[in-house]
Amino acid sequence: MTEDPHPSLTDRLSDTVFRGLMALARSLPYERRVPMMGWAVAHLVAPVAGWRRRIRANLALTCPELPKAEVERLVRAVPDNVGRSLAEIYSGEEFLARVRNLPLEGPGAAALQAAHDEGRPVIVAAGHFGNYDAWRGALAGRGYRIGAIYRPMGNALFNRHYLRAISAIATPLFARDHDLKAMLRFLRSGGMVAFGFDQFFRQGAHLTFFGRPAQTPTSAAELALKLKADLIPIYAIRQPDGLSFRILVEAPVPHSDAETMTQALNDALERQIRAHMEQWLWVHRRWKDRRPKTPQA
């Protein structure tokens, strides 16, 4: 991706505001820095960015049964998790020291270890849930060769320092649509690569998520089938203290066809979100069809 040599005024302003907030946060001890950024994003950024409106719209579409009080809690708790995650990512070694030795729980942990020991590729299925980078740090801390696909930010100024921050957690990183050959070489050498699958993809399969049509990329499942690799869902679940995590690794998705396997990923992620509603990125425009469900006659 070629960086824009003349970023817009909006990009410059938003990047300046973010770096100012992060500089203020980093002047604080870690235990105060993370909640401070959570508060700032929830109360300062979210209203200006229109996130509150988008969260309400997504919840009305997918979870109309939620009480109003719960919706209003999530309107603030979802951006709070985003802010905490950013503070953690930009904390470098302080963050890594907290996550690199976390135990891997769940039935997929043994499958990850076996693939690592045998030098086999793994496709790691990751949603925008909890803190995506906490489990990357935990896997890298075990010596696993964990790479990830990332989507370059539209704001090149922000992308520059964000890429430095996430690169400090684990590498390699592969830019979506640009580094396919390098990613395939890494996988065929026995590496693990994380694929996101929970954002709207116009060319995606017409699957369902929270009972609604959701166009979903099937590339993770397609690559697992092509390379005969395990497709393993993983989650870093933020704990009630707001600072620590559990790393949950689910069993490999059985190989069948790409759409069936990807629907299994959607279903597994939905179960985790329903258990921890504030930890998913409800600010994303996941569902483009926003017509409300119509009652059956």
Side-chain angles (χ1 to χ4, degrees):
M1 180 178 181
T2 302
E3 186 170 306
D4 183 358
H6 304 292
S8 69
L9 177 61
T10 300
D11 282 355
R12 291 199 299 270
L13 285 174
S14 59
D15 183 66
T16 298
V17 169
F18 175 80
R19 286 189 290 108
L21 269 175
M22 191 56 69
L24 175 61
R26 293 190 66 179
S27 70
L28 301 173
Y30 186 93
E31 291 78 5
R32 294 176 58 195
R33 176 189 316 155
V34 172
M36 175 269 181
M37 275 298 291
W39 184 94
V41 172
H43 293 85
L44 303 178
V45 176
V48 174
W51 288 4
R52 292 181 175 183
R53 180 174 63 255
R54 201 174 304 158
I55 293 167
R56 289 189 183 102
N58 279 335
L59 291 173
L61 185 73
T62 59
C63 305
E65 73 284 356
L66 283 181
K68 183 178 179 180
E70 175 64 1
V71 171
E72 293 309 305
R73 182 187 77 83
L74 292 171
V75 160
R76 289 162 178 78
V78 169
D80 180 89
N81 183 66
V82 173
R84 286 173 183 261
S85 297
L86 285 169
E88 290 158 346
I89 292 166
Y90 278 78
S91 290
E93 180 58 32
E94 289 178 279
F95 175 53
L96 284 172
R98 290 170 172 265
V99 300
R100 64 163 54 100
N101 295 317
L102 289 176
L104 304 184
E105 305 176 29
L112 276 180
Q113 184 66 54
H116 172 70
D117 292 344
E118 296 164 18
R120 292 186 285 107
V122 174
I123 308 300
V124 180
H128 292 77
F129 175 86
N131 185 335
Y132 178 102
D133 288 285
W135 63 257
R136 282 208 310 132
L139 266 57
R142 278 178 162 63
Y144 293 175
R145 298 172 59 220
I146 178 66
I149 301 288
Y150 79 97
R151 179 179 181 179
M153 302 287 184
N155 184 334
L157 294 173
F158 182 87
N159 188 72
R160 194 183 308 158
H161 51 76
Y162 180 74
L163 184 57
R164 284 199 301 268
I166 60 176
S167 295
I169 294 168
T171 55
L173 296 171
F174 305 101
R176 196 182 76 175
D177 302 329
H178 293 275
D179 296 335
L180 177 60
K181 289 183 179 179
M183 181 198 69
L184 286 172
R185 284 196 300 270
F186 179 73
L187 281 167
R188 286 180 172 132
S189 74
M192 305 176 181
V193 173
F195 280 68
F197 64 91
D198 60 336
Q199 293 191 320
F200 176 82
F201 184 57
R202 192 171 302 281
Q203 289 77 42
H206 292 266
L207 305 179
T208 59
F209 189 50
F210 277 82
R212 302 292 309 190
Q215 287 173 249
T216 308
T218 58
S219 51
E222 290 166 357
L223 201 52
L225 291 169
K226 179 179 180 178
L227 299 180
K228 297 181 173 57
D230 284 340
L231 175 63
I232 301 181
I234 190 167
Y235 314 93
I237 305 170
R238 190 178 298 280
Q239 296 302 285
D241 65 5
L243 296 169
S244 58
F245 295 90
R246 285 180 57 224
I247 310 299
L248 175 64
V249 190
E250 295 196 338
V253 175
H255 282 203
S256 54
D257 61 85
E259 291 196 7
T260 299
M261 293 167 71
T262 306
Q263 185 61 59
L265 296 179
N266 278 355
D267 295 343
L269 178 60
E270 180 179 335
R271 287 192 294 271
Q272 290 301 323
I273 295 169
R274 287 188 180 277
H276 310 279
M277 289 284 282
E278 68 283 351
Q279 297 196 37
W280 189 63
L281 195 65
W282 287 97
V283 302
H284 174 59
R285 294 186 179 92
R286 182 67 182 95
W287 300 269
K288 298 296 185 177
D289 179 4
R290 293 189 175 276
R291 291 170 295 182
K293 294 181 180 179
T294 55
Q296 298 296 315

